[in-house]
Amino acid sequence: QVQLVGSGGGQVQAGDSLRLSCAPSGRTFSTYAMGWFRQAPGKEREFVAAFIWRHGSAHYGDSVKGRFTISGDNAKSTVYLQMNRLKPEDTAVYYCVGGPPTPIVVPTATEYPYWDQGTQVTVSS
């Protein structure tokens, strides 16, 4: 059973930065992509970013482009999400996700079988 462990959330002021990380607990696993979705109270789940291990490439949701950067450390099977110039509207629970070994439609939540428990990020104005 694959378990993902995310960390790095917290409460910050608008304009500050945070870095999230996510790695599998215990054994590593073969995955096409890892990344994050987020969900704010009363809102739909939203794609944030994904890192494609095979290509070393990144995909971003429109609302975070230019502010967030996702990266991967293959040796540690860990992905990182550097979040800069945070805004109050970035406040949400951030869920780390892991996909299957085969290519997927990256921004689609149902493509990811592995999810962590979620990490709260709160940005105050």
Side-chain angles (χ1 to χ4, degrees):
Q1 181 72 13
V2 175
Q3 288 188 321
L4 298 177
V5 179
S7 62
Q11 184 167 354
V12 296
Q13 299 285 325
D16 286 350
S17 299
L18 276 176
R19 189 176 82 155
L20 305 183
S21 63
C22 179
S25 175
R27 68 179 181 91
T28 58
F29 71 113
S30 179
T31 175
Y32 178 78
M34 289 177 65
W36 279 268
F37 284 78
R38 68 186 183 186
Q39 189 163 21
K43 295 188 176 181
E44 292 188 356
R45 188 180 301 164
E46 177 187 16
F47 171 70
V48 177
F51 183 79
I52 313 303
W53 291 104
R54 185 178 304 180
H55 310 130
S57 60
H59 296 252
Y60 298 97
D62 288 342
S63 62
V64 306
K65 283 180 182 176
R67 299 187 298 122
F68 291 11
T69 302
I70 191 170
S71 59
D73 183 332
N74 196 50
K76 298 179 180 180
S77 300
T78 301
V79 288
Y80 303 96
L81 184 68
Q82 179 65 42
M83 304 185 293
N84 296 330
R85 303 198 308 276
L86 283 161
K87 304 176 181 179
E89 50 264 45
D90 293 318
T91 295
V93 176
Y94 285 67
Y95 295 94
C96 173
V97 297
T102 51
I104 59 173
V105 179
V106 169
T108 302
T110 53
E111 295 277 279
Y112 297 87
Y114 309 113
W115 293 67
D116 77 342
Q117 300 278 35
T119 299
Q120 178 69 45
V121 172
T122 303
V123 185
S124 55
S125 57

